[in-house]
Amino acid sequence: MKKLGRFLYLHGRTIYYILAVVVGVVCGLLIANDRLSIGGAALAVILTALVPFFVMNLIAISSYSKPLVDALDVERDPYPLLEESEYLLTKTKKGLPYLTNIINYSAGLIETGQFEKALAVLQAVDFSKVPKTLPQNMFVYYHNLCAAYNANGQKDQASIYYSKALASYAMIKNEAVKKQMKSTITVHTIEEHLRNEDYKEAGK
């Protein structure tokens, strides 16, 4: 199941586009020959293209990406995420998957004490390859930069990226996403207070 999840994670979107084109062409031919109504064509596209797309995403998340994140967040084992994201970086060179893999890889590096390597990886990101970056993506990116700088003893730089992370968090419009990331921003705020030795405030 893991291999299937990895395959769908890497190629699911391409498979969806191929399905959509094939179904669209077939439906177009049927409509042209009065063998299918426009409503029927729309239903066919939904059933044979969109539904498989969501099923593929569900398989990719449940059997592949979620276990990797859970290993880090729940079991405190960074190596599955570190090794798999390093592999994925050889396969994804642009777009949000590229940035996501960079973020995951840097998280694994930070958790294994490779702070300077994590900084090098994060600083080398080419954002021209990620034209549609969302605030939540930038929030996690800046969060990892802050964590790496802080762990590496570079407090001033950590403070700069802490502020950038907060600014990106404030730009997230989707309340569900914002709520999902609330635990991260809470931990981050505590870390910032601790860096300033404001222990009383951090304990609140």
Side-chain angles (χ1 to χ4, degrees):
M1 185 62 78
K2 178 184 175 181
K3 289 183 178 180
L4 174 61
R6 178 198 272 179
F7 177 81
L8 293 176
Y9 179 86
L10 289 170
H11 307 293
R13 190 174 294 273
T14 301
I15 295 171
Y16 162 69
Y17 288 144
I18 292 172
L19 275 173
V21 169
V22 170
V23 172
V25 170
V26 171
C27 289
L29 291 172
L30 292 174
I31 290 172
N33 288 282
D34 294 324
R35 299 183 63 180
L36 184 68
S37 67
I38 295 178
L43 181 61
V45 170
I46 292 172
L47 293 178
T48 59
L50 292 181
V51 171
F53 174 70
F54 288 114
V55 171
M56 287 188 292
N57 271 345
L58 181 62
I59 294 173
I61 292 171
S62 63
S63 67
Y64 181 63
S65 57
K66 188 177 185 299
L68 296 175
V69 175
D70 285 348
L72 175 62
D73 291 343
V74 179
E75 301 169 23
R76 307 310 301 170
D77 179 7
Y79 289 99
L81 183 66
L82 178 64
E83 293 166 2
E84 198 62 27
S85 55
E86 185 175 23
Y87 166 78
L88 291 174
L89 282 173
T90 66
K91 303 294 182 181
T92 53
K93 303 296 183 183
K94 61 182 180 179
L96 286 179
Y98 158 76
L99 182 59
T100 299
N101 292 327
I102 287 284
I103 288 170
N104 289 339
Y105 184 47
S106 67
L109 291 171
I110 292 167
E111 288 293 325
T112 54
Q114 302 178 70
F115 309 126
E116 291 187 1
K117 188 173 182 179
L119 287 170
V121 167
L122 290 165
Q123 290 166 342
V125 171
D126 181 357
F127 280 99
S128 67
K129 295 180 179 179
V130 197
K132 296 181 180 179
T133 309
L134 299 172
Q136 50 264 40
N137 301 123
M138 295 308 301
F139 163 70
V140 183
Y141 173 76
Y142 289 136
H143 170 275
N144 285 11
L145 267 171
C146 175
Y149 273 120
N150 186 47
N152 205 40
Q154 296 170 265
K155 309 298 183 182
D156 290 342
Q157 288 295 318
S159 181
I160 290 171
Y161 286 103
Y162 167 73
S163 298
K164 289 178 179 288
L166 286 179
S168 295
Y169 180 78
M171 291 173 63
I172 299 173
K173 295 180 180 179
N174 188 314
E175 289 301 321
V177 173
K178 216 166 188 177
K179 185 177 179 181
Q180 185 181 18
M181 295 188 167
K182 188 175 181 180
S183 61
T184 303
I185 202 70
T186 301
V187 170
H188 214 100
T189 303
I190 291 173
E191 289 175 352
E192 172 69 3
H193 285 310
L194 289 175
R195 281 200 296 273
N196 293 331
E197 298 184 356
D198 188 358
Y199 301 107
K200 184 178 180 180
E201 183 68 22
K204 289 183 178 180

